[in-house]
Amino acid sequence: QVQLVESGGGLVQTGGSLRLSCAASGRTFSSYAMGWFRQPPGKEREFVAAINWSGGITYYADSVKGRFTISRDNAKNTVYLQMNSLKPEDTAVYYCAADSSYYRMQNSLSPASWGQGTQVTVSS
């Protein structure tokens, strides 16, 4: 498994932007599909975005499509989530995830590894 550490969360006003980062340990980062999930207050965790091992394929939840962008830098063992035009409903703890299968990641099938989460709060 790979160890994941998220950063970049914080408090932002409606319409603002944040970029989350997820640093991964291990030499095999480039072989993993990566994803972002979030858990709003009082709700279940939900899928946000996925990216395949090379970065050539991405997939987004409808709720964030056109506003969020997932990307990765395999040389830095890091995956990013650029979040623009933030809304109060984007408020959540955001989790980074890794799995050897892009199919599992895209279909939210219990990715193998998770980070500890980072809080994003969007004020109205």
Side-chain angles (χ1 to χ4, degrees):
Q1 291 189 347
V2 62
Q3 280 70 52
L4 305 171
V5 178
E6 301 97 334
S7 61
L11 174 64
V12 64
Q13 292 185 336
T14 296
S17 298
L18 281 176
R19 188 176 81 155
L20 305 183
S21 299
C22 173
S25 64
R27 295 173 294 174
T28 58
F29 173 76
S30 61
S31 67
Y32 285 93
M34 301 297 295
W36 288 95
F37 293 73
R38 67 186 182 186
Q39 186 165 16
K43 298 183 178 180
E44 294 186 354
R45 189 155 50 188
E46 61 186 27
F47 170 81
V48 175
I51 189 166
N52 77 327
W53 68 273
S54 69
I57 301 173
T58 57
Y59 182 74
Y60 298 92
D62 288 344
S63 59
V64 306
K65 202 172 296 182
R67 300 187 298 122
F68 290 11
T69 302
I70 188 171
S71 62
R72 67 189 297 161
D73 185 337
N74 287 341
K76 295 183 178 180
N77 281 14
T78 302
V79 63
Y80 305 97
L81 185 69
Q82 177 67 44
M83 305 186 295
N84 298 328
S85 302
L86 283 161
K87 306 174 182 180
E89 51 264 43
D90 294 317
T91 294
V93 178
Y94 283 72
Y95 297 90
C96 176
D99 198 278
S100 58
S101 167
Y102 175 74
Y103 175 84
R104 289 178 56 85
M105 187 68 69
Q106 178 178 309
N107 290 280
S108 307
L109 298 176
S110 300
S113 300
W114 293 91
Q116 83 288 350
T118 185
Q119 177 70 47
V120 171
T121 303
V122 184
S123 63
S124 57

